[in-house]
Amino acid sequence: MDARPVTRNSMTKAFTFKVVATDGKARRGSITMPRGEIRTPAFMPVGTGGTVKTMYMDQVRGVGSDIILGNTYHLMLRPGAERVARLGGLHEFARWPHPILTDSGGFQVMSLSKLRKLTEKGVTFRSHIDGAAYEMSPERSIEIQGLLGADIQMQLDECTALPAMEKEIERAMELSLRWAERCRTAFGDQQGKAMFGIVQGGDIPALRLRSAQALKAMHLKGYAIGGLAVGEPQAVMLEMLDITCPELPADRPRYLMGVGTPDDILKSVARGIDMFDCVMPTRAGRHGLAYTRRGKVNLRNARHADDPRPLDEESDCPAARDYSRAYLHHLVRSQEALGAMLLTWNNLSYYQRLMQDIRVAIEAGIFGARAAEISEGWARGDIPAM
């Protein structure tokens, strides 16, 4: 895939988003900013702690990634935002000169922290690493993301796991809206960068609508949809997208947080989503699972032990094309680090190839037909065992 290095001539001082083609509700767009272009629909590999696990950054770029994700919670705990800033910011620290989006850390505070306490001011919590006490307010979250040098910064929000009581979902949604206002004020007008608000509201249609409408009134540069893929069935997630997407401004990017499987991505693009992130391709790679055009392939399975064939002979990724299934099976069963490296490389390559396929299909006006073909390939399954 085209690594497209950033040059001074290709850089812009402004953050802009342009829809260049549509096919139904699916959108082919482009985000431009000083550090480069993000082709949408886009998948952002997750680099939680300043690294996309088991990958070199040039590999991440080489498979076609325009942007990666970092996490405020993890980076503030280790190595510390102020330290990263002293060392030149996250782009320099991690040797990734292209766009970075940082998650505000709200989800991790709620899911990982010990003895957390939530108030209007923010949240106090104890680190899952060493038990040290921390305080995270909307203002501090934006400050940390600024110290990291993030190009796209997320508001601090409260993410409620589903299922939950409607009153609890409503309370968290309203708090998140108040925090969004404070984050917007703290972020100010940073040239060439953006702060995104996060639509909450769980699985309650009326709350999703209220959240989207209130955030739209803040005139932010982008909008995320949070609190999905947190335990609810896919059908509920898609229903919330059907309700939420039409309420968001058509001239701003839409980011579905923490999603997801290739099938989730296809169905969400069809509803107007522009950006995705998920740990799934990297986590699966570390556990012996490969994503391919034939669906998921479990390399731990004994059927691969004597198979000299590659994962996918048509792939342009060396990990999928040049190594035998037998060798990959051996690496996985032996818990060799190279197994995780190769399968993660394959998985991120597959995800980025899928996104490129989606973008081309939208531009050609054949997204529906192409999505059906892709889904049929998954349904047919892997090649027969030898």
Side-chain angles (χ1 to χ4, degrees), residues 235-256:
V236 173
M237 179 188 80
L238 297 177
E239 179 189 0
M240 294 304 105
L241 295 184
D242 285 331
I243 291 164
T244 304
C245 285
E247 291 299 318
L248 297 175
D251 62 347
R252 307 295 163 91
R254 303 166 184 159
Y255 163 31
L256 180 56

Side-chain angles (χ1 to χ4, degrees), residues 220-275:
L220 304 172
K221 292 182 180 179
Y223 296 86
I225 300 173
L228 295 174
V230 290
E232 82 287 357
Q234 186 195 59
V236 173
M237 179 188 80
L238 297 177
E239 179 189 0
M240 294 304 105
L241 295 184
D242 285 331
I243 291 164
T244 304
C245 285
E247 291 299 318
L248 297 175
D251 62 347
R252 307 295 163 91
R254 303 166 184 159
Y255 163 31
L256 180 56
M257 304 182 74
V259 176
T261 68
D263 185 58
D264 286 338
I265 289 172
L266 278 185
K267 288 181 168 62
S268 300
V269 166
R271 288 160 171 80
I273 295 296
D274 306 300
M275 300 171 69

Side-chain angles (χ1 to χ4, degrees), residues 42-108:
F43 179 81
M44 300 180 284
V46 174
T48 300
T51 172
V52 177
K53 286 183 170 59
T54 76
M55 293 284 285
Y56 297 110
M57 286 301 185
D58 57 353
Q59 287 179 302
V60 176
R61 183 66 170 174
V63 299
S65 306
D66 295 332
I67 179 173
I68 62 171
L69 180 145
N71 184 262
T72 297
Y73 171 86
H74 289 281
L75 290 166
M76 73 175 282
L77 296 184
R78 188 170 54 194
E82 283 76 10
R83 175 173 288 160
V84 172
R86 289 194 302 271
L87 293 168
L90 190 55
H91 298 86
E92 177 68 20
F93 191 53
R95 298 192 60 77
W96 175 265
H98 317 292
I100 294 176
L101 179 148
T102 43
D103 188 352
S104 70
F107 177 80
Q108 287 73 27

